[in-house]
Amino acid sequence: MTHRYISEMSYKKQKDKPQYNREKLWLIKDLIPQGEVVILFGDKGVGKTFVTLDIALQIATGSQELGHTKRGIVTYIPLEGKNGYFQRVEAALHHKYPEDGGENLLIDFWEDSWIWSRGQDLSLKHKDIPYDDWYSDDGEAINELRKPSAYRDWRRYGDYLTWADNFTHVLIIDIFSKAIPSADIMNWEAMNNVLNNLEKVIEGAKESRLEEGVDEENFDEHLTIIIVAHAGKDSRAGVLGSSILEANLQTVLEVKKGKGKTRSLNVKKAKSFLEGKKFPFTLRDSNINGHETHWVDWGKEVNPVEDAILDRTANEPIEKKQLALELRDQFKDQYATDKSFTTVFNRACKKLMETSFFCPVSYEEGILAKRNMETTGDE
């Protein structure tokens, strides 16, 4: 019998390595992954920035509204709608996080004299720049290195994000088209280059962290990049630009209008059970220091039966049959027969499942448990 040398690339050699057996890491469980590029898009005026800002503040504050959330630092780059931006932040903090001052939300308008912040263009091809070209003999970063339009070492940008006050867990670019001024957004090669640059930013952040002596096997701090984009002329076709933007990303979120004031965050593509689900929300009006703005109110457009189901399942799971009996007594004056109430109850449960309120496993087993009751002791 002939014995072959077993390559280090073989399944037998690699199957037990820790880096290939780790569970997927999440910033918001099953919705926003760690260490990946995520795209959020929608029609003009649908509320993309409000939704993205709310997600940013959920991560910055550790709120659990959309599921178990890991608290972290968010760098937000607003490239349009700068006027009134801080009023939007103030409105969200005032109505939803009054105890938080926004310390974990870092704002970068890409306007100052720092080389990374001037004339940024994510479509410029990556080029490795030697260490000596970036630092002087005493280790200080060279501010006026070259014209900003010359080229970029995108790994160095990821490195930069690790020494801006603290490690940035999320980088948000709003809006994507203004971060790629020299690119043809419809050209697949140009967009593929942009996505590769973003991957290099993520790699640079990780490499910088590992250089600080972090154990790679237990490493769990990864930079996530969220790019906010417009929908095409026909929103059914998806994100404005080359189809490669959606094809090459694992997480694609869409903000859509509903009836009246209601809207929803649709999980168009994801590596989790949430794919195809939606999170309903309403844009509430707010007046902050004389400035009219809005804030995101998640999942509050529910009828009385739906509201009662959510209230009863908020703290502990309950069998669906038992819950139906409890609520039948509560609503006995509003429905003539048990059959009419049961129809409304089942329809309400189905709607709440479709809009991501319940864990699918518990729901399928006939037990209702509110999904965003998931919490752990970590930040």
Side-chain angles (χ1 to χ4, degrees):
M1 180 177 178
T2 303
H3 292 278
R4 294 185 60 192
Y5 168 75
I6 300 178
S7 167
E8 289 296 323
M9 296 175 63
S10 72
Y11 167 74
K12 183 177 179 64
K13 286 275 189 176
Q14 297 190 69
K15 67 185 179 72
D16 295 324
K17 290 185 178 181
Q19 62 266 39
Y20 302 129
N21 288 277
R22 299 182 64 180
E23 291 186 6
K24 191 176 181 73
L25 297 174
W26 300 95
L27 280 166
I28 300 180
K29 187 74 166 66
D30 297 315
L31 184 66
I32 306 294
Q34 289 184 238
E36 296 180 18
V37 180
V38 174
I39 193 164
L40 183 149
F41 77 101
D43 290 328
K44 186 175 181 180
V46 75
K48 298 185 294 296
T49 293
F50 291 105
V51 170
T52 310
L53 178 59
D54 192 88
I55 289 173
L57 286 172
Q58 286 190 47
I59 295 167
T61 62
S63 166
Q64 307 292 314
E65 281 189 282
L66 295 178
H68 172 55
T69 302
K70 177 178 179 178
R71 190 176 186 184
I73 292 176
V74 181
T75 294
Y76 202 116
I77 302 173
L79 296 178
E80 72 174 13
K82 297 175 184 177
N83 294 332
Y85 178 78
F86 287 111
Q87 284 73 31
R88 296 177 182 182
V89 178
E90 281 297 310
L93 291 174
H94 173 77
H95 292 284
K96 303 183 70 172
Y97 314 107
E99 304 295 322
D100 194 280
E103 291 82 1
N104 279 358
L105 180 65
L106 312 180
I107 311 300
D108 184 355
F109 286 112
W110 275 1
E111 287 179 337
D112 60 33
S113 61
W114 181 250
I115 190 167
W116 287 118
S117 303
R118 222 170 14 143
Q120 194 71 282
D121 187 347
L122 285 164
S123 61
L124 297 174
K125 286 188 176 295
H126 169 80
K127 182 175 182 180
D128 290 309
I129 301 176
Y131 182 90
D132 291 342
D133 283 355
W134 276 104
Y135 296 92
S136 58
D137 292 339
D138 59 2
E140 291 295 319
I142 301 173
N143 192 23
E144 298 298 331
L145 175 66
R146 286 177 173 78
K147 291 181 179 179
S149 60
Y151 53 73
R152 285 287 182 270
D153 183 336
W154 294 107
R155 284 195 183 89
R156 292 286 183 194
Y157 185 41
D159 181 28
Y160 160 74
L161 290 170
T162 67
W163 26 273
D165 294 315
N166 206 331
F167 178 75
T168 291
H169 295 83
V170 187
L171 173 68
I172 297 176
I173 301 169
D174 181 8
I175 193 103
F176 180 54
S177 58
K178 293 199 173 183
I180 52 171
S182 66
D184 177 359
I185 200 168
M186 304 303 295
N187 182 283
W188 74 268
E189 289 181 303
M191 292 303 98
N192 190 54
N193 175 62
V194 171
L195 293 179
N196 287 337
N197 287 343
L198 293 173
E199 292 288 350
K200 285 178 168 50
V201 174
I202 292 172
E203 290 172 13
K206 179 180 179 181
E207 290 169 1
S208 178
R209 237 16 195 178
L210 293 176
E211 286 173 2
E212 296 176 9
V214 180
D215 179 11
E216 184 166 11
E217 288 188 7
N218 299 313
F219 182 73
D220 65 353
E221 283 192 315
H222 299 268
L223 171 66
T224 293
I225 299 177
I226 301 176
I227 54 178
V228 184
H230 292 302
K233 290 183 179 180
D234 182 354
S235 59
R236 292 173 297 180
V239 181
L240 174 65
S242 169
S243 60
I244 202 169
L245 288 171
E246 290 191 48
N248 282 18
L249 298 179
Q250 294 189 4
T251 305
V252 179
L253 308 175
E254 181 180 10
V255 181
K256 300 184 74 172
K257 281 186 177 180
K259 295 180 180 178
K261 293 184 177 180
T262 61
R263 291 165 167 78
S264 63
L265 176 66
N266 291 27
V267 186
K268 188 173 182 182
K269 184 179 178 183
K271 291 294 184 180
S272 77
F273 78 89
L274 286 181
E275 184 168 28
K277 307 296 184 184
K278 61 182 178 180
F279 293 88
F281 70 92
T282 300
L283 286 182
R284 303 293 187 193
D285 296 332
S286 179
N287 188 305
I288 299 295
N289 300 323
H291 295 273
E292 298 291 337
T293 186
H294 308 283
W295 58 281
V296 174
D297 192 4
W298 293 99
K300 298 298 173 64
E301 292 296 318
V302 293
N303 64 41
V305 174
E306 294 164 355
D307 189 51
I309 292 172
L310 291 174
D311 183 61
R312 180 60 180 83
T313 59
N315 297 314
E316 60 179 349
I318 183 172
E319 288 189 2
K320 187 177 176 182
K321 291 181 180 179
Q322 178 60 34
L323 180 58
L325 291 174
E326 286 187 19
L327 296 187
R328 176 69 188 93
D329 290 338
Q330 181 178 332
F331 291 94
K332 61 184 179 182
D333 296 333
Q334 299 179 33
Y335 295 92
T337 65
D338 288 352
K339 184 177 181 180
S340 61
F341 171 76
T342 300
T343 300
V344 172
F345 174 80
N346 288 333
R347 187 182 298 132
C349 289
K350 182 179 179 181
K351 176 185 173 183
L352 293 173
M353 175 57 196
E354 289 174 348
T355 52
S356 313
F357 279 102
F358 296 125
C359 168
V361 176
S362 64
Y363 183 83
E364 289 167 4
E365 293 176 350
I367 300 171
L368 300 185
K370 194 174 179 183
R371 177 179 170 270
N372 37 351
M373 67 184 286
E374 296 179 82
T375 56
T376 65
D378 66 342
E379 290 284 283

